[in-house]
Amino acid sequence: MAHKLVIVESPAKARTIGGYLGQGYVVESSIGHIRDLPQSAADTPAKIKDKPWGRLAVDVDNGFEPYYVVPRDKKSHISKLKTLLKDADELYLATDEDREGEAIAWHLLDELKPKNIPVRRMVFHEITKSAIQAAAENPRELDMDLVEAQETRRILDRLYGYEVSPVLWKKISSGLSAGRVQSVATRLVVDREQERIDFKVASYWDLDGTFDAGNAADQRMFPAKVWTVDGSRVANGSNFGPDGLLKGRDVVHLDRARAEALVAALADTTYDVRSVESKPYRRSPYAPFRTTTLQQEASRKLGMSASVTMSVAQRLYENGFITYMRTDSISLSDTAIRAARRQVQELYGAEYLPDAPRTYLSKVKNAQEAHEAIRPAGDSFRTPAQTGLTGDQFRLYELIWMRTVASQMKDATGQSVTIRLGGAASTGEDVVFSASGRVITFHGFLKAYVEGTDSAEQSSDDAETRLPNLAQGDTVTAASLRAQGHETKPPARYTEATLIKELEDREIGRPSTYASIIGTILNRGYVYKKGTALVPAWIAFSVIRLLNDHFHRLVDYDFTAVMEDILDEIARGEKSRTTELHEFYYGSESIDGLKKLVDELGDIDARELATFPIGGPDSGVQLRVGRYGPYVETVDTKAAGDDEGEAGAAVRANVPDDLPPDELTLEKAKELLANPAGEEVRLGRHPESGLEVVAKSGRFGPYVTELLPEDAPKSAKARTGSLFKSMTLDTVTLDDAVKLLSLPRVVGTAEDGEEITAQNGRYGPYLKKGTDSRSLASEDQLLTITLDEALRIYAQPKQRGRAAAAAPLKELGNDPVSGNPVVIKNGRFGEYVTDGEYNATLRRDDSVEAMTLERAAELLAEKRAKGPAKKTAKKGAKKAPAKRAPAKKTAKRTAKKS
C-alpha cells in the first residue's frame, strides 16, 4: 500500500510524530547525518587517494567540491530507507529547521534519489499534534542557501583541522587537534589563566560599621562602609590594576595602620546624615530562553553542563514538552504569549498581569535558527506537576516554564536608597560612610523567577537591604567600627556558563555548537575542570603559543567572529561559498591564506614552544611540556668535582596533573624540585645480592630497584618493585625494599606439585597456581600469606565468569537520557558511574562523596557522545562516494539573485 514517507533525525522523534500523523504515513529516522566527508584513510575513495588534496576529500583546485561517503554503520539503514521509499507516493524531509537539519535533508535527497514522486520539506519548531499536522499541510522547498552555508562551514572546519593539526603533531605531540572554534575557545581559557599568572595582588583596608539610628527608627541598626576621607574616595578593589598598582588620582589608599588609627580616632564620633538619595527601583522580566541563556542558567541553577543541558532539552523537545532548543530567538509566538498570560492570571492573579503583552526583540543576525524562543510546547502550557516528568527532565522543564511565564508578568518595583553619614575624627579628618539599601514593594515577575548569578559576590535581583527612614541633618552613632583588610583577586576562571557567554558576546561560533566545543576541549585534554572552573592544561599553552606565533589570524577573536558573519551571509544568499573558501585557503593580496601559512612555516623550535619560565625569565626554573606530561627543570649549579653532583646537570620534577598553572609559583616549583622525578633515595645494600637499593619516583609512581654495576651484561635487568599504597618515598626502608624485591614470592607447593606464588598485578594482589589465579584482599598479604592460608583459598570453588556484582558504592537516581538507575561502582580501574548501558570513570576532581546525579549524567553523556568502540571492519569494495551535484535553486531564490 502506498504511503507518505516522513524522515526525521531521531527514533524518539519518529515515534512521537508517527503517533500524531496516523495512518497513511510512515515515519522513520535517519539517525542523524547519513553521510559526511571520510573520517579516515580507510574510508577515503580509491579514486581520490592519489590526488594532492585526497586526504582532505575536498577538491581545492576545482571549486572546493567535497567528496562525501556513507559511513559503514549507516549503509544498512540507507538500504532500509530506500526500501521504504519504493512504496511511497510522497517524501517528506522533516529534519530540524536549521543549517544542520537542512543539510541532512539535502543529503537524504541526494542519496535516496526519489523518482517520480513529490519531495516536500516539512518544518516545525515544536512537536505537538497541531504543529505537526500544520507542518505536513504547509511544506516548503529545500533551502539551498542554508545547505550552502552548512557545507561551507564543514569544509572550512575540514581545511582548518586537516592542515593545522599535523603541525601540532610534529611540533608538540601526536593526537592533538586544531579547530576553527575549539582553538579560539581554548585560547580564551589559556589567556584567562595567563592573566591570573601575571596578576599581582594588592592589599587595601577599609572600615565597616554598624550604625544606630535610635529607638524611634523602624530599622534601628544598619550597615555602612567608609566612603571618603577628607573628600578623597577610599580605594577599593576596582581602583587597582592587574599589576597591583593604584589607578587614578584623588583616591586614598588605606593600609592597616591607618585604618586601625581611624577606627580609634572615630571612637567618640557622632555622625550627621549628609544626604539621602532615594530612587525608584524597577526591574523588567528576563527574556525567554534562547540556547545560550538556557545553557548558562541550567549551569548556575541546576549544576548541569552544556552537554547535559542539551541532551535533556533534546529529550524534552522530541517528546513534545518544549519547542526547538537550538535557537537565537527570544521572541514568543502569539499563541505562546496567550498561553503564558493565561497562566499568570490563573497562578498569580490579575495584579501580576501587564495590560499589554510583552514582546522581545531578537538579536538574531542570520536566517539559520528557529524563529521562537525555547518555551513549553503547545497552545496551553502544562505546569511542571502536570507533565509527569521526573529527574533532570522535570527540573529543566520547570526552569523553562518559569522563565516563560515570568516573561509575561509585570515589572518588580521598589525603592533604592543611598545614605551618606559624616563625622569628624579626633585627629581632624572628615570621614564619610555610605549605606545602600533596596526595598521591593511589588515583586512582579520575581514572584515566579529569579535569574542565577555567576559569583557568590553578586546579589540576586530579589535581594533586599532595609535602611531606616532618615532625613538630612539627623544624627546617628556607631554601634561598632572595625578595620577590614582585603586583597585584590585575579579574574575568575571561566566556567561553562561564563565561557558560553563570552563566546556569544564575541559572536564566535554558533549557540548550537557550544556544548560540543566545550566537550571537545575537555576530551582533548586541553582543559579540565576544577569544581566548575575550566582550567587549561600546560599542553594547551604550547598549542596556543604555536597558533599565535604562526597562525595568528586563525585564532584571532575578530577573525573567527567575521567568519560567522560570512556564513550568515551565505545562508542569506548574499555571498558565494566558492569565493569565501578560496580566500580562506589561498588568500588574497591583503590576506595570507591557510595554504601559504602551512607551506611557509619555516623553522619552529619545538623546545621553545614547550618551555615556560616560572617566576620570571631570570629565575633559572622552567616548566617544560614533555612527552609524558609537564615537569619543572632547573640546572644544578654545584661546583665541578663535587661528590654530590656534576656541575650543569639538569634537575627535574614532574608537575602534578591537577595543579593549575597559576598555582605553579616559583616557591611551589622549588618544593617539587626538592624531591624531583628520577632522584634516588639510597636505602642501602641488598643483604643477598649486595647491590645498592634505591627508591625513586617514576612515571607510574614510586618504586624501589637495584643498581646494576657498570659492567653488567646488557641482557641483565634490575629487579624492581612498586611501593605499596601504604608506603611513601619518605618512609620506605631497606627492609621494606627487600620484601618488595622478593615479589613475586613463592608461597609453597600444593599437593599436586604445582607451585603457588603471590604476585602484584595490574588489577591488584593475587595468588597464582599454574593457570589458576585467585585475588587477595590486600597488598600486605603478598608478604604474609602462608601456604595453609593459600590452600584454603584454593579449596574454595572458583567463581566462573565474572565475580558476583558488589553492592554499589552510592545510588544517585535515574539518568535523564536512558531513564535507568545510576549508581557508582568500584572497578578494576577505579570508581565509575553506570546506568547499565554506559560506564564512565570518575575524573581526578570527582569523589564518591560529592558525586551528584547531575555530574554523573554529564559523565555518561560525554561517554555516550563518543559512541561505542569502533571495530575493525573487513576490507571490501567501497561504493563510489557522492560528489555534490549542483542543486537547482527555487524560483524565489533565483528571483532574489537576479
Side-chain angles (χ1 to χ4, degrees), residues 608-674:
E608 183 180 341
L609 283 176
T611 303
F612 301 88
I614 302 298
D618 301 325
S619 68
V621 179
Q622 297 175 321
L623 178 130
R624 296 194 189 280
V625 181
R627 182 179 179 185
Y628 302 115
Y631 60 92
V632 285
E633 181 180 73
T634 190
V635 175
D636 188 346
T637 57
K638 293 176 183 177
D642 192 319
D643 292 338
E644 297 298 320
E646 181 181 350
V651 180
R652 296 172 179 167
N654 290 330
V655 174
D657 290 339
D658 58 354
L659 181 69
D662 78 323
E663 294 181 20
L664 184 59
T665 60
L666 184 58
E667 292 72 22
K668 182 63 178 179
K670 289 179 177 179
E671 178 186 325
L672 294 172
L673 288 165

Side-chain angles (χ1 to χ4, degrees), residues 472-531:
Q472 187 171 341
D474 288 349
T475 59
V476 299
T477 57
S480 67
L481 284 178
R482 59 190 176 277
Q484 290 281 91
H486 308 274
E487 287 187 342
T488 55
K489 296 180 180 179
R493 290 190 180 96
Y494 289 111
T495 62
E496 287 201 18
T498 56
L499 181 58
I500 286 170
K501 185 177 187 304
E502 187 73 17
L503 289 168
E504 184 180 36
D505 289 347
R506 292 178 180 268
E507 299 175 359
I508 295 169
R510 301 302 319 155
S512 57
T513 67
Y514 290 158
S516 63
I517 289 299
I518 291 174
T520 297
I521 63 177
L522 285 167
N523 293 333
R524 290 288 182 184
Y526 292 147
V527 172
Y528 64 90
K529 282 189 174 181
K530 187 172 185 179

